[in-house]
Amino acid sequence: MKHPDIPSTPTRQETATLAISGMHCASCARAIENALSQREGVYQASVNFASEKAQVLFDPARVTRAALEQVVEAVGYQVIRAPGAEKNLLRLKVIGMDNPHCLGTVKGALGGLPGILSQELSLNERALISFDPQIITAEAIKGAIQQAGYTPLEEEATSLEAEVAAREREIGGLKARFTTSTLLGLLLLYAAMGAHLGLPLPHLSPSSMALLQFALTTPILLAGSLFYCRGMLSLLKTRTANMDTLVALGTGSAYLWSTYVSISLWLGRGGYGVGDLYYEVAGLLIAFILLGKWMEARAKGKTGEAIRALMGLRPRTAVVMREGKEQEISIEEVAVGDVLIVRPGEKIPVDGRIVEGRSAVDESMITGESIPQEKGPGDIVIGATLNKTGSFKFAATKVGKETALAQIIQFVEQAQASKAPIQELADRISAYFVPTVAGIAILAFLIWLLAGKGFLFALTIFIAVMIIACPCALGLATPTAVMVGTGIGAQNGILIRSAQALQRARSIQCIVFDKTGTLTRGRPEMTDVIPLGGYGREEVLGWAAAAEKRSEHPLGEAILKGAEREDVQVRDPEAFESVTGKGITARLEGREILLGNRRLMEEKGIDLSSTEVDLQRLEQEGKTATLVAVEGGLAGIVAVADTLKEFSREAIQALQRTGKQVIMITGDNERTARAIARQVGIERVLAEVLPQEKAHQIKILQQEGLQVAMVGDGINDAPALTQADLGIALGSGTDVAIEAGDIVLIRDDLRDVVVALDLSGYVMGKIKQNLFWAFFYNLVGIPVAAGILYPFTGFLLNPIIAGAAMAFSSVSVISNALLMRRYRPRIKRAAMA
């Protein structure tokens, strides 16, 4: 939700993710969301009930993370913090602080800062600093250390472990409360109903029986006090009623009425008997609700298994070279530039580049490639992948949150905390759900009371309506499916940035593929050299290679490698200029060299008629023909071919079978583009499109009424990826955080495009199932609880049965989402078969 007073384009912004415990329904999430949104300095707040996390976009100059946490706690919920975070501790590794002099320097720098409560510095470059976040920020502390001449690195917080521990405590607490409530509830049921069933009971007076039931019920209500406290606290502080409010009013009504009857019996007032007591209703309702909450908490824990599995891939320690010696340190202490040692069978701790040794590395968890990759000096290695055979040393290039695995985890966390547009309907209904149900319960109570059915009958109706209503099922329908779906995607190399992207993928009608590096390998090879105008083959290739020597284009690299292969000397050009989308102009030994496509030659007035036959032949073979001109005259053609990726054709055919329109877009000329398109089965081709024009072509397709997805490499195609309704970027495995893509495919397998769209449809199907049953349950349950069937069938819903139905409605929604873990894509891949 957005704060009304905040400008639409903030100048400074940070995002905080808060793990929250104590939420019991979508109304709880909405109460927290409203409170955060109203805090000055907050641009946007989104609270996901299923993942129990809040994402807050805020201005760090106007509000601190600690203040945001206080907002959540003021509403009545708990923020889960990493160990020490509740004391505002900053754990740092201070590079260079390894002697008493340096220790004194850093201590002096910190001593002059306001808001520092305590500091513990050690010679092993570790610092533990306690501070007041209202006076000073962590960034200011790190800045002071940096100004003193040292490099502070914040240790990665163990928030996941803290979160898991908090969830386990919550589950354990609910189990203990349920067990206590059930044992006391069974005794209460025996005392209340034993006489009706002919069971032996001690001969007690009505007042003594009332006292016994009061004594059994009160501890049950204390065990379920979280519903009373939080429900009423939410009502008082935020003026937002939630499920806890309904439970508190429903069970509280039964308990208070029974207490009133008990007092009357104790005082000897007439008119009431043991049959007027409703203690068993209040007690067993709490027991059933606690059972449902315990099962719900356990089920919700399983929805996050995917991200915990990813977390579990990270090694805990690393062996690093320090002062010429090998030292085993925690993974959090590894810094960029450290040289680490990896032995056979060990996981690679962080991302880096090999400096010594060779080995085979299993990178299947990132790339999906089952065959171990041979690695040697200069090669990149990825953190959490498995070293198979040899030993090697490598220099750390990315650590902590910058590693490939950490970025993958961040992707999944962001997606799981986001909201799909389809959830907006459930959120709107949830906002009015509780007051509407309360109104229905009161109205039903009055109608039956006025109809002459008596107070106890009307009270039974009131409690049943209050208890059977369940906004939780509505609130859980979408986010649980999103959590499981994004987790499935991540486990299979498909990173879905948000729930919005997941929903948009379902409606895609047209998919546009970039050619180079997407459909093709992007590693072209020189295939032909055709000299013209009386020049020799070596001369033409030498000019072409010299012109491309300063170019970074893949075609230029292929020509240079071709010249090297044929032992052609490549000279340095005296001048060089790249002409975007057309080619290169260069000067070599006083001669003007042109190297490029038809457009460049035509602009320079070079006649191509003599080589039209060769050009058409090469283009029909799917080769890119590069023309070479010297001093205004055509000198030859150098042809380069880029091979298709292994599964390009299979992926295109699978998409076409699902009714999707598939288009290829490329800067190549029409003939070459169509030759490549024919090989993969694409009919519609957008050729000779300059990089800056790709986004415009996507816009034209959208103006045709199509929902368009763009598939590209995420760098050159960024504008087109952003313009498309859905941007699908191919990740490199080590640089997965491609900002332009709504979906990032880690593995170099285009069949993952098919899987991503198929997974989207599957998740949306589950969401619709969940929403249907959640709506159906409430639309049927509430009228039945209100007694709509009683005049026709004599059926009156017992509040205890209503409580059991309410308790299991949320569990059924989560269980349906968990069934998604059986998902298998329609297109088979080795990684998922």
Side-chain angles (χ1 to χ4, degrees), residues 125-147:
E125 302 181 318
R126 306 293 291 275
L128 186 64
I129 304 164
S130 175
F131 65 99
D132 184 347
Q134 301 296 335
I135 300 175
I136 192 169
T137 66
E139 291 303 318
I141 295 171
K142 289 189 286 185
I145 295 174
Q146 199 159 14
Q147 286 179 0

Side-chain angles (χ1 to χ4, degrees), residues 400-609:
K401 296 179 181 179
E402 300 302 317
T403 64
L405 181 62
Q407 290 181 42
I408 291 171
I409 292 169
Q410 184 182 3
F411 251 81
V412 180
E413 283 183 327
Q414 289 175 351
Q416 292 186 345
S418 63
K419 288 186 178 182
I422 196 173
Q423 192 176 341
E424 292 176 2
L425 174 62
D427 285 349
R428 285 198 299 270
I429 292 174
S430 296
Y432 302 102
F433 187 89
V434 173
T436 301
V437 169
I440 293 172
I442 294 170
L443 183 63
F445 173 85
L446 294 173
I447 288 173
W448 287 111
L449 192 64
L450 294 173
K453 285 296 180 180
F455 180 80
L456 283 180
F457 185 97
L459 181 62
T460 300
I461 293 287
F462 174 82
I463 296 171
V465 172
M466 294 290 277
I467 295 300
I468 201 169
C470 186
C472 296
L474 285 172
L476 288 168
T478 299
T480 49
V482 169
M483 287 182 70
V484 178
T486 52
I488 291 170
Q491 288 175 325
N492 293 280
I494 301 168
L495 303 183
I496 302 166
R497 187 179 292 276
S498 66
Q500 294 93 325
L502 191 67
Q503 181 170 336
R504 284 199 302 270
R506 178 72 176 87
S507 59
I508 290 301
Q509 302 163 298
C510 171
I511 302 161
V512 180
F513 284 88
D514 176 51
K515 181 183 79 69
T516 305
T518 303
L519 288 171
T520 63
R521 296 185 183 278
R523 295 189 297 271
E525 294 184 357
M526 188 183 75
T527 57
D528 302 82
V529 178
I530 303 173
L532 301 168
Y535 295 105
R537 176 188 176 92
E538 186 173 335
E539 282 182 292
V540 172
L541 183 54
W543 287 325
E548 291 284 11
K549 193 168 185 179
R550 296 181 185 174
S551 171
E552 296 179 354
H553 196 281
L555 297 180
E557 186 180 346
I559 292 172
L560 284 167
K561 286 183 177 178
E564 181 182 345
R565 190 170 60 244
E566 297 191 15
D567 294 325
V568 173
Q569 182 183 2
V570 181
R571 291 158 290 179
D572 291 321
E574 296 151 11
F576 168 89
E577 182 182 353
S578 175
V579 184
T580 304
K582 298 173 185 176
I584 292 168
T585 64
R587 182 163 292 278
L588 183 66
E589 297 177 350
R591 295 182 176 184
E592 184 187 41
I593 310 294
L594 300 178
L595 182 74
N597 57 22
R598 292 170 181 265
R599 286 189 187 181
L600 181 62
M601 299 301 159
E602 288 168 356
E603 280 184 8
K604 299 295 183 179
I606 301 205
D607 184 14
L608 302 180
S609 59

Side-chain angles (χ1 to χ4, degrees), residues 675-698:
I676 295 293
R678 278 194 300 272
Q679 294 178 40
V680 293
I682 295 177
E683 295 182 3
R684 187 172 178 182
V685 177
L686 302 175
E688 300 181 30
V689 180
L690 297 176
Q692 62 269 28
E693 294 174 350
K694 288 182 179 179
H696 179 65
Q697 291 295 327
I698 297 295

Side-chain angles (χ1 to χ4, degrees), residues 629-645:
V630 179
E631 289 294 311
L634 196 61
I637 305 172
V638 179
V640 172
D642 190 4
T643 56
L644 288 172
K645 289 182 179 176

Side-chain angles (χ1 to χ4, degrees), residues 644-663:
L644 288 172
K645 289 182 179 176
E646 184 178 2
F647 299 111
S648 292
R649 183 175 178 82
E650 184 181 347
I652 298 303
Q653 290 177 338
L655 289 169
Q656 290 171 336
R657 283 195 298 270
T658 63
K660 310 290 186 191
Q661 181 180 348
V662 182
I663 299 173

Side-chain angles (χ1 to χ4, degrees), residues 184 188 209-220 255 266 279:
L184 293 174
L188 178 62
M209 180 58 73
L211 180 61
L212 174 63
Q213 292 188 30
F214 175 83
L216 291 170
T217 306
T218 302
I220 297 176
Y255 180 76
W266 298 335
Y279 282 122

Side-chain angles (χ1 to χ4, degrees), residues 282-360:
L284 289 174
L285 277 176
I286 291 293
F288 271 122
I289 291 165
L290 286 170
L291 172 62
K293 285 298 167 188
W294 174 44
M295 295 178 66
E296 180 185 318
R298 291 180 61 191
K300 277 164 65 177
K302 292 179 181 178
T303 62
E305 283 181 352
I307 197 165
R308 285 196 294 276
L310 289 171
M311 289 283 196
L313 294 173
R314 297 186 300 188
R316 298 267 182 181
T317 61
V319 177
V320 64
M321 294 296 298
R322 293 277 171 85
E323 299 177 354
K325 297 179 182 179
E326 295 182 13
Q327 295 182 23
E328 185 172 351
I329 61 176
S330 68
I331 196 71
E332 289 83 8
E333 293 182 61
V334 178
V336 173
D338 277 344
V339 176
L340 295 91
I341 300 170
V342 184
R343 297 182 176 88
E346 294 180 345
K347 285 185 177 180
I348 297 169
V350 296
D351 297 358
R353 192 178 296 275
I354 294 179
V355 295
E356 182 183 320
R358 306 192 74 87
S359 184

